[in-house]
Amino acid sequence: MMKRYWRLLLTVAALLLLLTSCGAQKKPVATVGENEILYEELRHEVLTYLSNHKTATEEELRAAVEQQLLETYALLLLCAEELNATPDSEGMKEAVDAELEKAISALGGEQQLADYLKEVYLTEDLMRRKLAITKLQMDLEAKLFRGTRLESKDTLMAWLDQGNYVRVRRVFIPGALGEETAATLREQIIGGAQLSGLLTAEQKQAGAEIGANEYFYRDLNGSAEELAAMELSRVGQCSSLLTNSEGYTFFVRVEDDRQTVADYQAITVLERFREAELAPLIQAKASELTLTWNEYGASIRLSDIQ
């Protein structure tokens, strides 16, 4: 009888703890327009940011979280304007249910899903909302990029085939070996030397290396490396010498491998191009919005959130 009594007390205590936790998660902390932001969403954004910026100050943290929240609701506003759709639109629950089942299957079960949610600072409700927002973004992209090179993997590949990607090997020479060494190695390749025997054992020991095959895509990020690689029009050609705080780099054009691009990279590249095109639209819309903390949200020290 006593054991049964204690089991009952423990069950009630656990239930009260769960209810208290759920209550805290659902407590409003701010608004963006007519949208109410709950503690669970704030906590997710805070801990996600801190996982990548461990030394962020309280001011930096709040500014970054505010911007991320504004961009989330800017995306939702774009979806409402372009698609007349929201996370609560008809058919969205069924779509989210299907994705959640896929997640459970991929992870190996409901307990594994629960463990995953804990790792990424999500409640199940918030995960469902994130899935709905992802579905809306995909629908928005389908509309915005219809009839363009970013409409599909096939349209992107057709554009890439017009000389808009290159496959290269990276040659890196650490600063300690000097620019003259890097320039000499580059001249050796131009003169017909092979990559396989380019570096001496001493140069390798000092940190010089020749990287594996990598790909660059025109106008994906506009970096100096991308620009240098995209100048290479024929196999064996060397790029100009690039300098940074770590040393010197140049690229050597190698044979293209279209099948690898089509099979393993095109979808990721398509997503990156789409994100780059969509980002300015979201940021412009975010600049029209205001996040207003309520008394509770303003009182929270974000860096103390666990």
Side-chain angles (χ1 to χ4, degrees):
M1 183 69 180
M2 183 62 70
K3 287 182 180 178
R4 191 178 306 164
Y5 173 73
W6 278 110
R7 283 197 199 102
L8 178 61
L9 282 181
L10 290 171
T11 301
V12 170
L15 179 59
L16 287 174
L17 180 61
L18 177 63
L19 290 174
T20 300
S21 175
C22 289
Q25 295 280 17
K26 299 300 181 185
K27 195 167 183 178
V29 295
T31 56
V32 175
E34 298 180 356
N35 299 287
E36 195 171 61
I37 299 172
L38 303 182
Y39 179 85
E40 62 182 343
E41 186 171 7
L42 172 64
R43 176 179 179 272
H44 169 73
E45 297 298 350
V46 165
L47 295 181
T48 299
Y49 187 81
L50 285 176
S51 68
N52 296 310
H53 305 83
K54 300 184 187 303
T55 61
T57 66
E58 179 70 14
E59 292 74 18
E60 291 168 346
L61 177 57
R62 190 169 287 268
V65 168
E66 284 185 3
Q67 184 61 30
Q68 182 57 51
L69 290 169
L70 285 170
E71 289 181 10
T72 296
Y73 288 92
L75 172 61
L76 289 173
L77 185 55
L78 280 173
C79 292
E81 293 174 352
E82 295 287 339
L83 305 172
N84 193 30
T86 74
D88 299 318
S89 291
E90 184 178 355
M92 189 62 73
K93 180 181 182 303
E94 291 74 15
V96 168
D97 286 343
E99 290 302 315
L100 200 54
E101 285 301 317
K102 290 179 186 177
I104 292 172
S105 177
L107 291 168
E110 293 187 2
Q111 182 56 53
Q112 286 77 8
L113 175 63
D115 293 341
Y116 169 76
L117 294 181
K118 185 176 180 180
E119 288 176 10
V120 294
Y121 322 115
L122 286 172
T123 63
E124 184 173 337
D125 283 347
L126 187 54
M127 181 185 186
R128 293 181 66 89
R129 180 172 172 78
K130 294 272 184 191
L131 288 171
I133 293 174
T134 299
K135 173 68 165 57
L136 287 172
Q137 181 173 339
M138 292 171 63
D139 292 345
L140 176 64
E141 290 176 359
K143 178 180 179 181
L144 293 179
F145 300 122
R146 189 174 298 126
T148 75
R149 65 190 170 102
L150 302 182
E151 180 173 358
S152 67
K153 172 185 169 181
D154 290 341
T155 58
L156 177 63
M157 283 303 305
W159 179 76
L160 292 176
D161 285 337
Q162 296 171 8
N164 291 309
Y165 77 95
V166 294
R167 186 179 185 225
V168 300
R169 300 282 299 277
R170 176 190 300 262
V171 180
F172 171 74
I173 307 300
L177 290 179
E179 183 175 358
E180 184 176 346
T181 298
T184 298
L185 291 170
R186 179 176 176 275
E187 289 299 323
Q188 289 175 7
I189 292 292
I190 293 173
Q194 298 300 304
L195 284 170
S196 57
L198 181 68
L199 301 178
T200 66
E202 292 78 9
Q203 288 169 341
K204 291 178 182 178
Q205 189 170 2
E209 59 183 4
I210 298 172
N213 295 319
E214 59 183 296
Y215 296 82
F216 284 90
Y217 301 91
R218 191 180 306 281
D219 299 329
L220 184 56
N221 57 36
S223 67
E225 289 192 349
E226 177 192 281
L227 294 173
M230 289 306 307
E231 290 176 355
L232 306 179
S233 59
R234 66 180 187 278
V235 172
Q237 189 176 3
C238 284
S239 74
S240 55
L241 197 63
L242 303 174
T243 305
N244 61 28
S245 60
E246 296 180 352
Y248 310 93
T249 296
F250 64 91
F251 299 108
V252 181
R253 177 80 182 259
V254 296
E255 289 283 355
D256 292 337
D257 183 354
R258 185 186 189 281
Q259 200 61 48
T260 293
V261 174
D263 292 345
Y264 301 108
Q265 300 211 21
I267 292 298
T268 300
V269 173
L270 177 64
E271 290 173 354
R272 290 178 62 191
F273 269 118
R274 284 182 167 190
E275 287 173 4
E277 294 282 340
L278 190 57
L281 302 179
I282 292 175
Q283 290 165 5
K285 191 64 68 176
S287 68
E288 302 172 7
L289 302 175
T290 301
L291 185 148
T292 304
W293 298 99
N294 61 22
E295 185 176 354
Y296 173 58
S299 71
I300 298 173
R301 181 174 169 78
L302 300 188
S303 52
D304 289 340
I305 289 177
Q306 299 293 322

